[in-house]
Amino acid sequence: MRSQPIAVHRPPRLDTQSILCTGVLAAVAFTVVYPVALVVLQSFQVAGPGEPARWGLDGWRAAFEEPGLRAALVNTLKVTFVRQLLSLPLAVLIAWLVARTDLPGRDWIEFGFWAAFFLPTLTVTLGWILLLDPDYGLLNTWLARLVGKKPFDIYSFWGIVWVHVITGSVTVKVILLTPAFRNMNTAFEEASRVAGASTLRTALRITVPVMAPAILSVLLLGTMVSLQTFEVEQVLGIPFRFFVFSTMIYDLLVTRVPRYDAATALAVVTLAAMLPLVLAQQWLTRGRRYTTITGQFQNRPHALGRWRWPAFALVMAMLVIVLGVPLVFAGLGSCMKLFGFFDIPRPWTLDNWRTVLTDELFLRSLWNTLVLAVSTAVVAVLVHSVIAYIAVRTRYAGRRALDVISWLPFTVPGIILGLALLWLFLDVRMLRPLYGTMAVLVIAGVIAGMPLGVQIIKSGLMQLGSELEEASRIAGASWWATYRRIVLRLMAPTLVAVGMITFVGAARNIGNIALLATSANRPLSILQLDYIAQRKLEAAVVVACIIMVISLAGALLARLVGLRGSVS
């Protein structure tokens, strides 16, 4: 009797792709999830620095007993609500005019909003201080001569709301909504007009309802961004003791005797407030289709008729406010003997530029900024493209988890992300030597830019056919060789655009690195914040102009390599 062979069940071998994908997932989880978990854990750590660990609720009690906590909570919600209430209708109108009508100069107007989006927040804030300061603001001074009083005060709740709406709320919504409006099929609008409806009625009854999911998604993203604000409140709110969550956390960590337990407790509260918004946004976009052009696609612009030039004047007036005023007044402020005082004899000078440009501290910070921006851009393009490729093009079991984790930094306010990374580098012994080096700031920049970078590259990959990749694999190339030789080359314009966005973000970043920067690795953005804190506003505006030039150069280069197409 012939014996039957015994079947041996061997576990399936892990191929190279699975090993690499698992390594990427582990690295991303370690640098994103672990620091956030440390923040939650440290909120229960009540021992002082250098003392043995002791756990308790002292930090939570201190946080909730903090006299300004309730006021900070109310302030955060008020600023967020008013920002969205004012900016969303205006952004919807501008995006519709740019994308759906025959508005003159639509392409350059859209680029103008991109350029305004790239402007550093502190630069814009300083420009409006020059105009609306209650003591020496140019607009207030002129109005005092005309009507006998100075009606505007930039250091107020409405001053903060105004700067927020101008600096980011409108611009970011316009650049997110314009591609969505542009890619909308006009068949329903055409039917509405054939039925006799006016352009305005068609927009209100057809366009806006059809675009409601995209508008709601942008609203949720805007709300999450509003909860993360730091720079404007830090500059304009401190003079009249106006705190929001992020500035109160910074205050607990830096400007007083540090209370890490109370600060981390507040950070956990902010994270908890963000989670419902994240879940709502992901639920809303889960079923989104990325096929934007079909055989029946129509995109005929609406004729504005007699409203064409009034609409153009409205949009140009908005561009002057969001882009022209910061550019002009930042330049003027950098050449003033005494920032804001136009009435003194011979108020103009170039000494501010000579002083700053010959300062060794500035030169070191400029070098740090260039190294930080270039390094962050290069690393971000590599890391974000790999994450996006795994999420879109592979069947790796953990790709959904990787996609969700890549969104997590967007839910964490910048100051809290910096605090989380601070704990990471202090908690993990092998990482402690990196603290105070440029590597820490690069890691912070890569993580902070991960949600936007990954989503832009994912969109590009979804619009890219897979035939060439399949042909490469049929020819015997590995998935890694296919990725390097096919995907990276075809995606080059999108990757360059992501690199430029990251470059500009790293050059102007403050919130994510405020707790990580030291005298050794301090970039220009932190030097500018230091100058403002020391009331050296003339030097701060010079630094602001230099950061602004870097940002606008990045915006122009991003447009030249096809930024608009990569995010459409």
Side-chain angles (χ1 to χ4, degrees):
M1 182 175 178
R2 185 175 299 174
S3 60
Q4 297 294 327
I6 299 175
V8 179
H9 296 281
R10 295 185 178 90
R13 290 189 306 173
L14 290 175
D15 58 7
T16 304
Q17 177 179 338
S18 298
I19 295 174
L20 290 175
C21 291
T22 302
V24 172
L25 176 60
V28 173
F30 177 74
T31 55
V32 175
V33 178
Y34 183 60
V36 175
L38 278 178
V39 170
V40 178
L41 186 64
Q42 288 297 329
S43 67
F44 300 98
Q45 169 64 268
V46 298
E51 299 177 3
R54 288 187 295 110
W55 307 98
L57 297 175
D58 292 354
W60 286 84
R61 280 193 288 267
F64 285 101
E65 291 172 0
E66 177 69 27
L69 175 63
R70 187 174 302 174
L73 173 61
V74 172
N75 292 339
T76 303
L77 296 178
K78 283 173 56 180
V79 170
T80 298
F81 175 77
V82 177
R83 279 179 65 177
Q84 305 313 311
L85 181 66
L86 296 177
S87 63
L88 184 63
L90 185 58
V92 170
L93 174 61
I94 295 173
W96 177 76
L97 288 171
V98 171
R100 308 297 294 173
T101 72
D102 59 347
L103 187 74
R106 292 177 295 167
D107 291 341
W108 284 105
I109 289 173
E110 185 179 2
F111 171 68
F113 280 97
W114 268 104
F117 170 71
F118 277 126
L119 288 181
T121 303
L122 279 183
T123 302
V124 179
T125 304
L126 288 172
W128 284 106
I129 288 175
L130 204 58
L131 265 176
L132 302 179
D133 186 278
D135 297 321
Y136 56 74
L138 184 61
L139 186 56
N140 274 327
T141 303
W142 285 349
L143 289 175
R145 293 173 181 171
L146 292 176
V147 299
K149 63 178 182 179
K150 300 177 179 179
F152 300 113
D153 185 1
I154 194 71
Y155 301 103
S156 64
F157 170 78
W158 288 108
I160 290 173
V161 168
W162 171 257
V163 174
H164 271 310
V165 170
I166 295 306
T167 56
S169 292
V170 170
T171 54
V172 72
K173 288 180 176 65
V174 169
I175 64 177
L176 290 175
L177 287 173
T178 299
F181 274 104
R182 182 180 292 116
N183 293 333
M184 173 187 160
N185 197 316
T186 62
F188 293 115
E189 296 171 304
E190 293 289 342
S192 175
R193 285 197 294 274
V194 169
S198 65
T199 298
L200 178 61
R201 184 177 178 85
T202 299
L204 294 178
R205 298 294 297 272
I206 302 296
T207 308
V208 172
V210 169
M211 293 298 299
I215 294 172
L216 183 56
S217 177
V218 170
L219 175 62
L220 289 173
L221 290 173
T223 302
M224 286 188 280
V225 171
S226 298
L227 293 175
Q228 303 177 27
T229 55
F230 172 71
E231 295 99 324
V232 175
E233 285 82 358
Q234 183 67 17
V235 175
L236 301 181
I238 296 301
F240 69 106
R241 304 299 295 170
F242 183 91
F243 288 95
V244 292
F245 261 159
S246 58
T247 54
M248 176 163 281
I249 292 170
Y250 186 76
D251 191 59
L252 286 169
L253 291 173
V254 176
T255 60
R256 306 181 187 177
V257 176
R259 284 299 308 268
Y260 292 109
D261 51 354
T264 49
L266 285 181
V268 174
V269 172
T270 308
L271 286 173
M274 297 282 279
L275 285 178
L277 298 175
V278 176
L279 295 176
Q281 198 276 338
Q282 292 221 334
W283 172 81
L284 186 65
T285 58
R286 186 177 301 163
R288 180 180 176 182
R289 294 183 178 180
Y290 289 86
T291 303
T292 58
I293 299 179
T294 66
Q296 298 179 344
F297 181 79
Q298 302 178 39
N299 187 10
R300 299 189 189 97
H302 297 293
L304 291 174
R306 68 175 185 269
W307 294 105
R308 189 168 186 244
W309 291 106
F312 176 76
L314 172 66
V315 176
M316 290 304 298
M318 193 64 196
L319 262 184
V320 168
I321 293 174
V322 301
L323 183 61
V325 170
L327 289 175
V328 171
F329 281 90
L332 290 177
S334 68
C335 297
M336 302 188 73
K337 287 183 179 178
L338 191 59
F339 182 81
F341 290 89
F342 293 90
D343 295 333
I344 63 175
R346 302 179 63 183
W348 309 108
T349 181
L350 293 177
D351 289 344
N352 301 328
W353 285 87
R354 296 190 189 97
T355 301
V356 171
L357 294 178
T358 57
D359 185 4
E360 183 179 349
L361 184 62
F362 164 80
L363 296 176
R364 189 184 311 121
S365 297
L366 176 61
W367 174 252
N368 289 341
T369 300
L370 295 177
V371 172
L372 171 63
V374 172
S375 302
T376 304
V378 172
V379 176
V381 167
L382 294 175
V383 173
H384 298 170
S385 63
V386 169
I387 294 173
Y389 185 81
I390 292 174
V392 174
R393 285 289 200 258
T394 72
R395 297 182 179 179
Y396 174 60
R399 66 186 184 278
R400 295 187 183 275
L402 182 61
D403 193 22
V404 172
I405 292 174
S406 72
W407 257 102
L408 188 59
F410 197 81
T411 70
V412 184
I415 195 69
I416 298 176
L417 179 60
L419 177 63
L421 292 174
L422 176 65
W423 283 115
L424 173 66
F425 285 97
L426 294 179
D427 184 74
V428 180
R429 180 173 299 179
M430 68 173 61
L431 297 180
R432 288 176 189 170
L434 295 178
Y435 179 72
T437 67
M438 193 59 65
V440 175
L441 305 188
V442 171
I443 293 173
V446 171
I447 294 175
M450 187 179 295
L452 181 60
V454 171
Q455 294 307 310
I456 290 176
I457 297 173
K458 278 177 59 181
S459 297
L461 286 171
M462 288 176 176
Q463 295 172 1
L464 183 67
S466 59
E467 293 82 0
L468 292 176
E469 297 172 68
E470 294 173 358
S472 175
R473 287 193 290 270
I474 291 174
S478 65
W479 78 274
W480 178 243
T482 299
Y483 173 74
R484 286 187 293 110
R485 297 175 181 176
I486 304 296
V487 176
L488 287 184
R489 292 184 180 181
L490 292 176
M491 292 288 294
T494 299
L495 297 180
V496 173
V498 169
M500 291 312 305
I501 292 174
T502 308
F503 177 92
V504 174
R508 67 176 189 171
N509 190 9
I510 292 179
N512 294 304
I513 64 174
L515 300 176
L516 300 173
T518 66
S519 58
N521 63 3
R522 175 170 47 196
L524 288 177
S525 58
I526 301 300
L527 177 65
Q528 181 186 11
L529 189 63
D530 291 343
Y531 280 150
I532 293 175
Q534 300 166 15
R535 305 305 297 174
K536 297 179 179 179
L537 296 181
E538 298 82 11
V541 181
V542 172
V543 176
C545 289
I546 294 170
I547 298 175
M548 185 169 61
V549 170
I550 295 174
S551 300
L552 291 178
L556 181 60
L557 184 57
R559 178 177 176 83
L560 293 177
V561 298
L563 177 60
R564 196 185 80 182
S566 68
V567 297
S568 296

